[in-house]
Amino acid sequence: MNASQFRFKRWRTGLLATAMVFAIGAIAALGVMDERSLVSTTRLESSREARVLAEVLASEFRAGLSSLGGDEPAGAAHAEGSAWRFEHTSLLVEPRQLLHEDAIADDAHHRLLVWATATDDLRTIDGTPVDLPSVVQAATAGESSAWLTPSEALRLGLPEELAVAGLSRVEDPRFGEWILAVVSSTERQRARESRRYARTIIMVSLASLVVLGFGLVLLRTQRQERAFERMLARESMRAHQEVQLAREGRAATMLTFAAGIAHELSTPLGVIAMRAEQLENNAEDDRARRGARAITEQVAKIRENARGFLAIARGAAPLRERFPAADVLRSAVSRVRHRFERAGVSLRVHSLSDLPWIYGDARLLEHALTNLLLNACDASRERGEVELSASLRGAQLEIAVSDRGGGIDPAVRARLQPFFSTKAEGTGLGLAIASEVMRMHRGELRLEDRPGGGTNAVLRLPAERMSDDALADEAQDPNFAG
């Protein structure tokens, strides 16, 4: 898993946790808002019920006053127990007698209060004076309801909770203005609110648990995914290590094989070099001497290549020298020219006037290019043609060897490894060595299908512009005469 995928998964986990918190908070907020709405609605209903009850009692009280008869004002009054006595009449106004007993709201949760302008004080239905500033202020202000504090409710003998009073006015021409106040305790409403609060808390808790459980399941799934990805990464690393071990095993086999070849070739090469030197010394004409000298030079190259590849197989780094790319192409072409002539295959070299310089080991690069040219020659039919071209693509040198052979199967193309070959007599080392050489030079070897049939073997490696002196040397070389 790369860094961007890791950051995305961490971001997804954080988003999930944030969504869980937001969902739980939203559920809790909705529950609280709904509960507050219910509380407000309940209080409005309690106030309305008290006012309705007060209106009913006031209507009955008004009818009772009218039944007492008379038209003259009764004058000032004073309270005597549960009755009001007036100066200009012998009649007593006793509210309890004027109201139906079943209608009187006077129990553990209700109280009926009477306020008369004739005495200007507030009393219970039984005539007991009470000090309730909130009710007096509401009556004086002409309001239809009032809220009593818990201490005021306690004075009336009600539970020490908020209480609501519904007020209703009665106008009588003889006995003046009366106000009936029905006080109701909110204890039962408070109990219902508490139960609703409990239900709301339970519902919010259950919903939060559902959201939390869902989130935990998702988090657990994500953890399992990460664990599975880590397991896959470990398996991939283990597979890579096994491939690396297998590659190292093949490299060790190559090292042993190369050491054996180098050892076995040392004696024959020494004999060939000695005989070539004798031939050169005993030659009677220049042509024979040049031939013997060429044998000596090629033997020296074979020895040098064997020592170089043996050193690389043992882990030695390739040389890092700067040289024109044209020198590598020129040398490789001169080494394989006779093979092409013998096979009846033409080698066409496309030259450029501005080949770049490169850094690396010229001997290894020449060997890699030689292998590609020989492979192309072997894949071509008689009177066929192989093309060698070089071009600069940005900061990359691209060397292409193109043939019109049978091509390479895609499954085979991916198996550039030692000892694997499609030729009956092939060793399987040519392409594998070329690929390894390009890897050492921070480049790559690519095998591509050629339009119309055949294969393009392309070498790509870092390069720089060629100097003017090297350009002049290249222009004089007959091997690059297009």
Side-chain angles (χ1 to χ4, degrees), residues 393-424:
R393 302 291 178 89
Q396 294 282 319
L397 170 64
E398 185 175 287
I399 303 173
V401 177
S402 306
D403 63 63
R404 289 296 182 184
I408 300 179
D409 188 83
V412 176
R413 192 180 306 160
R415 301 180 61 183
L416 297 182
Q417 56 184 356
F419 313 126
F420 178 81
S421 176
T422 58
K423 295 184 290 185

Side-chain angles (χ1 to χ4, degrees), residues 71-307:
D71 296 326
E72 296 296 328
H78 63 275
E80 294 181 358
S82 61
W84 275 258
R85 183 179 295 278
F86 292 84
E87 292 181 353
H88 301 154
T89 180
S90 60
L91 296 175
L92 293 176
V93 176
E94 190 172 359
R96 179 177 288 276
Q97 298 299 324
L98 299 180
L99 299 174
H100 195 276
E101 187 66 27
D102 294 336
I104 297 175
D106 196 13
D107 53 28
H109 296 281
H110 299 85
R111 290 291 184 272
L112 177 58
L113 305 180
V114 179
W115 189 84
T117 56
T119 56
D120 200 19
D121 59 355
L122 184 64
R123 295 174 179 269
T124 66
I125 190 67
D126 296 324
T128 304
V130 289
D131 182 19
L132 300 176
S134 57
V135 177
V136 173
Q137 291 175 3
T140 304
E143 297 176 358
S144 60
S145 63
W147 284 95
L148 281 70
T149 63
S151 60
E152 290 178 329
L154 185 62
R155 288 181 214 151
L156 291 175
L158 298 176
E160 193 174 0
E161 298 285 350
L162 285 176
V164 62
L167 283 67
S168 182
R169 299 178 181 277
V170 176
E171 297 285 348
D172 187 83
R174 293 190 63 195
F175 302 105
E177 182 181 18
W178 298 74
I179 296 178
L180 298 184
V182 177
V183 180
S184 298
S185 175
T186 61
E187 182 184 35
R188 285 182 295 185
Q189 287 81 0
R190 185 66 175 267
R192 288 197 296 268
E193 291 173 7
S194 299
R195 289 193 293 271
R196 279 197 297 267
Y197 268 122
R199 287 195 298 269
T200 301
I201 292 174
I202 292 173
M203 293 177 62
V204 169
S205 300
L206 290 176
S208 301
L209 287 176
V210 171
V211 173
L212 185 61
F214 180 70
L216 290 177
V217 169
L218 290 181
L219 290 176
R220 183 179 179 182
T221 303
Q222 286 189 357
R223 284 198 298 268
Q224 291 176 347
E225 290 178 356
R226 288 196 294 269
F228 183 69
E229 289 172 354
R230 287 194 295 268
M231 183 184 68
L232 288 180
R234 286 195 299 269
E235 292 297 328
S236 177
M237 183 178 297
R238 187 179 296 110
H240 177 73
Q241 290 174 348
E242 290 177 356
V243 171
Q244 188 67 23
L245 287 174
R247 183 176 180 180
E248 291 175 357
R250 290 193 297 270
T253 303
M254 286 184 63
L255 175 61
T256 304
F257 183 66
I261 291 178
H263 176 71
E264 294 297 330
L265 290 180
S266 60
T267 300
L269 287 175
V271 174
I272 293 173
M274 182 179 64
R275 294 299 185 185
E277 184 177 355
Q278 291 176 354
L279 289 174
E280 183 180 358
N281 293 333
N282 297 327
E284 296 180 356
D285 55 17
D286 291 340
R287 182 178 180 183
R289 279 193 292 274
R290 285 196 302 271
R293 192 177 302 116
I295 294 174
T296 303
E297 291 174 355
Q298 293 302 318
V299 168
K301 282 191 174 183
I302 293 174
R303 285 176 171 173
E304 182 181 359
N305 287 338
R307 286 194 297 269

